[in-house]
Amino acid sequence: MRLIIQRSLVFMALLILLTGVAYPLAITGMAQVLFPHQANGSIMEDQGHQIGAYHLGQAFAGPAYFWSRPSLTGDTPYDGLNSDASNLGPLEPGLIEEVQARIHALRGLEGQNPERPLPVDLVTASASGLDPHISRAAALYQAERVAMARNMPLETIHDLIETHAQGRWLGLFGERTVHVVSLNRALDHRYMGGVTGVSTP
């Protein structure tokens, strides 16, 4: 009986060392060597300042910035510790009212053409509430407002959007998207010369 217990304890200790120590260390080491940027959180820096993580969206205020899609992570938009979606179905009255209120607010902004079709990702949150991208169509929808606020030619804003537009996955799946923080940072650097001002709307 004692021998069985001893062997069981030795086997358990070996499993702990293998799965709880050796394996995590090996995977962590491989990640640091092969994918150091991603393994350390894909941190974005600007002139020596950390301005966020590439895979976490941020909320922008003011007409001179492109706005991210809505976030439902509580009092702090894009809170990585509180990732959440509404979990409301498409026929849920609460969701319909929220979407209609967002549509009304966006179409009432100065510089926005109320007759243009409004991309769905500007009035609905992502499943995680943390999505850093908007569709290319959502960026183009906001272009007139940004151009007016910055007193810039609309064509220049369109060119900047196209420069930052990312292709479909494998060239086939999904749609073209734009990383909002990167686009706003490029706007500030090119036309204002400063670090992107991130704030909550």
Side-chain angles (χ1 to χ4, degrees):
M1 186 66 177
R2 175 182 292 181
L3 182 60
I4 293 175
I5 294 176
Q6 289 177 341
R7 288 179 176 176
S8 299
L9 291 174
V10 170
F11 184 69
M12 182 178 68
L14 289 175
L15 278 179
I16 290 174
L17 289 173
L18 179 62
T19 61
V21 179
Y23 179 75
L25 286 176
I27 295 299
T28 300
M30 291 175 59
Q32 290 292 337
V33 172
L34 299 176
F35 311 102
H37 181 64
Q38 294 88 336
N40 290 294
S42 300
I43 301 299
M44 299 178 66
E45 294 188 355
D46 193 338
Q47 299 178 355
H49 300 279
Q50 291 186 353
I51 62 171
Y54 183 82
H55 297 290
L56 289 179
Q58 297 181 20
F60 291 84
Y65 289 101
F66 287 91
W67 296 345
S68 307
R69 65 187 306 179
S71 175
L72 300 177
T73 58
D75 295 334
T76 304
Y78 299 97
D79 181 1
L81 299 178
N82 195 28
S83 175
D84 196 11
S86 69
N87 293 322
L88 297 177
L91 300 181
E92 175 66 35
L95 178 62
I96 295 174
E97 291 174 3
E98 288 180 0
V99 170
Q100 288 177 338
R102 292 168 184 158
I103 291 174
H104 179 75
L106 285 172
R107 286 184 169 167
L109 292 171
E110 184 179 7
Q112 295 288 179
N113 183 353
E115 302 301 322
R116 289 188 61 189
L118 207 160
V120 68
D121 52 321
L122 286 181
V123 295
T124 56
S126 63
S128 67
L130 307 175
D131 195 345
H133 296 86
I134 56 175
S135 65
R136 172 178 170 272
L140 290 172
Y141 181 86
Q142 301 180 70
E144 294 180 17
R145 167 175 54 81
V146 174
M148 177 180 292
R150 291 179 181 257
N151 194 26
M152 293 170 48
L154 181 59
E155 294 76 12
T156 303
I157 297 293
H158 283 169
D159 290 342
L160 199 62
I161 292 173
E162 295 302 327
T163 299
H164 285 79
Q166 303 172 5
R168 295 177 174 87
W169 187 57
L170 298 180
L172 299 172
F173 302 104
E175 59 182 309
R176 299 186 69 190
T177 60
V178 177
H179 191 268
V180 179
V181 178
S182 298
L183 179 59
N184 283 331
R185 182 176 61 172
L187 270 173
D188 276 354
H189 275 293
R190 187 169 178 181
Y191 304 107
M192 292 178 62
V195 176
T196 300
V198 180
S199 58
T200 303

